[in-house]
């Protein structure tokens, strides 16, 4: 059963690190606000008191002993909390919700990256999300070297960023497989372009989708 938002509109931004998801989610939220459209901007893992504690455990560079299964369960726990506390109530009020990462990140990182069975990931996801799915996913794609270089420039290093290029290559492949299998929901944005061009491309896709649904 898929419980798509009845009144609101749920958008996820996905991609490997350094593709510009955080920058783009703020831009899209501001652009919607300028049109008078209320928007909840959120991110994963975190954005609740409990979720931020889980985030600290997940991303701490010292937690090298964390098993892949623990990692998978913690991402799902943070997501369940965020959905119950913030996302579902906002969608029920008819709001637009933009999340910086959602379930596709688990499929790409823990599934394709870590090698955990994709069916197991899907069944855990249906428990954690109660089958709530984004209406639209913008997948920001850039080569791994560029993404990691952008993050190093701002001195951003966490436990997953310490993984080698082979891991990040599998994750990027995973995201592209998700897009290939779900062309109705997932739209790929070329994130190698200059910032303003990526912003315009993302806005074009989002505004067109919203127009189709009579939301703009
Ligand atoms: N993870 C997981 O494994 N499983 C899951 O289920 C979930 C997550 C939900 C969360 O880290 C980590 O958890 C992440 C995936 C994993 N691990 N990794 N690695 P996070 O939340 O701290 O970070 P992130 O989600 O990976 O995003 P990021 O690293 O912060 O990058 P970003 O949001 O995509 O990019 P940004 O912060 O907007 O931009 C980075 C820099 O690039 C910044 O200086 C920008 O000004 C610059 N930038 C952005 N766009 C451009 C363009 N177009 N040109 C030039 N420069 C640009």
């Amino acid at each position: 059963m898929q419980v798509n938002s009845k009144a609101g509109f749920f958008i996820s931004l996905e991609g490997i690190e350094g593709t510009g998801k955080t920058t783009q989610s703020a831009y899209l939220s501001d652009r919607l606000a300028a049109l008078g459209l209320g928007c909840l901007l959120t991110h994963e893992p975190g954005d609740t008191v409990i979720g931020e504690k889980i985030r600290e455990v997940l991303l701490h560079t010292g937690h090298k002993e964390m098993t892949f299964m623990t990692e998978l369960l913690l991402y799902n726990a943070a997501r369940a909390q965020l959905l119950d506390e913030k996302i579902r109530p906002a969608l029920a009020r008819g709001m637009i919700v933009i999340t910086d990462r959602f379930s596709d990140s688990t499929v790409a990182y823990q599934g394709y990256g870590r090698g955990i069975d994709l069916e197991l990931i899907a069944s855990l996801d249906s428990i954690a999300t109660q089958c709530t799915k984004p209406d639209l996913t913008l997948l920001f794609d850039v080569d791994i070297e560029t993404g990691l270089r952008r993050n190093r420039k701002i001195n951003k290093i966490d436990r997953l960023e310490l993984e080698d290029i082979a891991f990040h290559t599998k994750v990027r492949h995973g995201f592209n497989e998700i897009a290939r299998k779900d062309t109705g929901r997932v739209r790929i944005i070329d994130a190698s372009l200059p910032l303003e061009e990526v912003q315009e491309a993302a806005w074009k896709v989002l505004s067109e989708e919203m127009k189709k649904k009579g939301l703009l």
Side-chain angles (χ1 to χ4, degrees):
M1 180 187 58
Q2 177 164 321
V3 187
N4 261 352
S5 49
K6 282 204 183 82
F9 192 60
F10 186 23
I11 307 143
S12 63
L13 273 56
E14 297 280 8
I16 59 163
E17 43 274 41
T19 49
K21 298 173 300 301
T22 309
T23 313
Q24 298 300 337
S25 52
Y27 173 79
L28 293 174
S29 152
D30 287 351
R31 192 127 182 201
L32 288 166
L35 295 173
L37 293 169
C39 174
L40 171 74
L41 182 55
T42 186
H43 65 265
E44 283 202 18
D47 209 24
T48 62
V49 171
I50 290 165
E52 287 299 327
K53 288 188 173 156
I54 296 174
R55 177 186 177 89
E56 214 182 303
V57 174
L58 274 166
L59 299 184
H60 195 295
T61 51
H63 291 169
K64 294 190 173 31
E65 71 277 32
M66 187 180 295
T67 69
F68 294 169
M69 191 52 67
T70 301
E71 188 178 276
L72 172 66
L73 292 168
L74 287 175
Y75 277 114
N76 275 286
R79 181 166 306 133
Q81 189 70 31
L82 180 63
L83 276 159
D84 276 350
E85 264 194 45
K86 292 197 168 178
I87 295 179
R88 264 192 291 269
L91 290 173
R93 288 199 302 275
M95 286 180 77
I96 298 164
V97 176
I98 298 181
T99 181
D100 181 351
R101 295 198 181 281
F102 196 64
S103 300
D104 293 331
S105 282
T106 309
V107 175
Y109 282 87
Q110 282 64 54
Y112 286 87
R114 300 302 197 199
I116 300 177
D117 180 61
L118 294 179
E119 277 181 26
L120 170 66
I121 290 182
S123 49
L124 269 177
D125 182 71
S126 64
I127 295 168
T129 64
Q130 293 167 42
C131 302
T132 301
K133 304 230 179 283
D135 298 294
L136 172 69
T137 296
L138 302 179
L139 171 58
F140 293 88
D141 185 50
V142 77
D143 64 274
I144 284 124
E145 290 75 12
T146 306
L148 292 176
R149 194 172 53 244
R150 284 181 189 165
N151 268 4
R152 281 196 197 106
K153 254 198 195 162
I154 51 172
N155 284 327
K156 189 175 170 297
I157 299 285
D158 61 39
R159 195 175 56 84
L160 277 97
E161 270 151 339
L162 291 175
E163 291 292 336
D164 60 16
I165 298 285
F167 173 78
H168 293 290
T169 304
K170 285 189 259 179
V171 173
R172 185 184 183 203
H173 167 71
F175 277 124
N176 285 317
E177 281 295 288
I178 293 167
R180 191 180 60 76
K181 290 178 193 163
D182 196 349
T183 48
R185 172 179 64 89
V186 187
R187 309 288 292 278
I188 300 180
I189 310 276
D190 180 357
S192 68
L193 298 169
L195 188 56
E196 293 72 21
E197 286 181 42
V198 182
Q199 280 171 343
E200 273 318 304
W203 174 251
K204 190 167 183 286
V205 173
L206 173 57
S207 53
E208 278 172 4
E209 285 303 310
M210 289 182 68
K211 275 180 197 153
K212 271 192 218 159
K213 294 194 162 38
L215 298 166
L216 253 190

